[in-house]
Amino acid sequence: DAKTTQPPSMDCAEGRAANLPCNHSTISGNEYVYWYRQIHSQGPQYIIHGLKNNETNEMASLIITEDRKSSTLILPHATLRDTAVYYCIVRVAGGGADGLTFGKGTHLIIQP
Amino acid sequence: DTGVSQDPRHKITKRGQNVTFRCDPISEHNRLYWYRQTLGQGPEFLTYFQNEAQLEKSRLLSDRFSAERPKGSFSTLEIQRTEQGDSAMYLCASSLDRALGPAFFGQGTRLTVV
């Protein structure tokens, strides 16, 4: 079972910041938070990941709370092409099971 | 294109037939993963390789499924005696190393069993 909880769907206006929340209250100290997205009929696309510090790249920013029990993915200026299902995943960075466990994600719809 | 490549993109087969899919990972990625995704669900992990060694198999990987990565480069996923329930998108991903970086996915093979 997925170890994260996400809202099933969200809307955001084009040009505005999209803030996607994720709860991972049982996260362990050696588990990273990863975000992927999947546009219809395509393979998942890696967005960003982090352990405890906030991270930013050319696609998005990842804000992780101090207690690491939740995080927010921020798309700073959403476009119509950002409409997709966004998956928040926790993943251990050392031995044991290696596969990503996807939940149902958040279907983000960018409105024109 | 230096991304993960999967072939074919689409496959329609009759129930009971065998099918084989191929995945070419990103060059020099030593980890390779297979996932299955059914309509409306997130991808489900099937198995992964580190170089040529198959290190983990999900309980979803029944006896009719077999995966190989003979030289530590490309991989194949074979399904024997296909069933209608095998209809799904089969996704391949690769990564350099779990601790160092994320997995990158291919576009998948859509299997339809009729």
Side-chain angles (χ1 to χ4, degrees):
Chain A
D1 290 341
K3 297 176 63 175
T4 62
T5 304
Q6 299 177 253
S9 64
M10 293 181 62
D11 288 348
C12 179
E14 188 178 18
R16 304 295 295 269
N19 296 278
L20 291 93
C22 179
N23 287 323
H24 31 80
S25 58
T26 61
I27 193 169
S28 302
N30 63 346
E31 286 182 318
Y32 286 70
V33 180
Y34 280 74
W35 284 84
Y36 283 80
R37 73 180 182 183
Q38 190 171 25
I39 297 169
H40 183 61
S41 295
Q42 297 184 19
Q45 178 188 23
Y46 165 76
I47 301 173
I48 199 167
H49 73 286
L51 182 62
K52 55 183 178 180
N53 297 321
N54 297 337
E55 302 288 343
T56 296
N57 63 20
E58 65 278 5
M59 289 183 68
S61 295
L62 174 59
I63 308 298
I64 302 174
T65 58
E66 192 169 345
D67 63 8
R68 301 209 323 122
K69 292 185 177 182
S70 65
S71 61
T72 301
L73 179 75
I74 301 172
L75 307 178
H77 305 288
T79 71
L80 297 178
R81 288 182 295 180
D82 291 321
T83 292
V85 178
Y86 287 76
Y87 297 99
C88 169
I89 300 165
V90 295
R91 187 185 189 199
V92 67
D98 197 49
L100 295 168
T101 301
F102 288 80
K104 293 193 174 182
T106 295
H107 187 194
L108 175 67
I109 300 171
I110 306 301
Q111 304 281 2
Chain B
D1 189 340
T2 56
V4 177
S5 177
Q6 293 189 245
D7 183 70
R9 291 293 309 277
H10 303 274
K11 177 72 176 179
I12 300 174
T13 191
K14 292 183 179 179
R15 190 174 52 188
Q17 297 294 305
N18 300 343
V19 293
T20 300
F21 310 139
R22 178 181 170 119
C23 172
D24 287 272
I26 293 171
S27 180
E28 298 183 356
H29 276 194
N30 59 346
R31 291 176 182 261
L32 186 148
Y33 309 82
W34 284 99
Y35 289 80
R36 180 177 70 184
Q37 185 173 25
T38 54
L39 203 60
Q41 304 297 316
E44 297 172 293
F45 171 75
L46 292 178
T47 188
Y48 95 93
F49 293 82
Q50 182 168 357
N51 299 313
E52 66 275 11
Q54 189 172 16
L55 296 187
E56 187 182 353
K57 295 182 189 180
S58 161
R59 58 181 171 77
L60 295 175
L61 210 67
S62 76
D63 291 344
R64 296 184 297 106
F65 287 68
S66 62
E68 294 182 346
R69 195 183 183 196
K71 298 183 179 180
S73 56
F74 74 91
S75 175
T76 57
L77 178 69
E78 181 183 17
I79 309 175
Q80 295 182 326
R81 306 181 302 282
T82 52
E83 302 173 354
Q84 286 190 317
D86 297 330
S87 295
M89 175 79 85
Y90 290 85
L91 293 159
C92 177
S94 70
S95 70
L96 270 173
D97 182 272
R98 181 180 53 202
L100 292 178
F104 295 91
F105 284 79
Q107 294 305 300
T109 294
R110 169 76 64 187
L111 173 68
T112 302
V113 182
V114 297

